[in-house]
Amino acid sequence: MTPQTTAPPSCRACGHVALVSITQGQRVERYDRCEHPSGPHPMHAPCCWFSAKTQGAI
């Protein structure tokens, strides 16, 4: 399985995602990262942190 390197829309809306891109000639590679204070979270819609937050657990 190829690791996901681009944050999905649900993560992009979060203030803790770092959108990182590297341009090499004509090619642009994305290496987005979660920088949440409690530690990195999976970047898929929705991640465990996102689910718990929306359910009032956090």
Side-chain angles (χ1 to χ4, degrees):
M1 181 175 172
T2 304
Q4 183 171 343
T5 59
T6 303
S10 61
C11 287
R12 287 174 171 267
C14 176
H16 299 293
V17 69
L19 302 176
V20 180
S21 62
I22 298 173
T23 304
Q24 296 178 342
Q26 297 290 328
R27 194 175 80 205
V28 177
E29 294 185 20
R30 299 297 305 261
Y31 295 98
D32 299 343
R33 297 284 181 260
C34 175
E35 294 186 342
H36 193 270
S38 66
H41 297 276
M43 287 200 299
H44 54 78
C47 74
C48 299
W49 172 80
F50 182 85
S51 298
K53 181 181 178 191
T54 59
Q55 297 302 317
I58 295 179

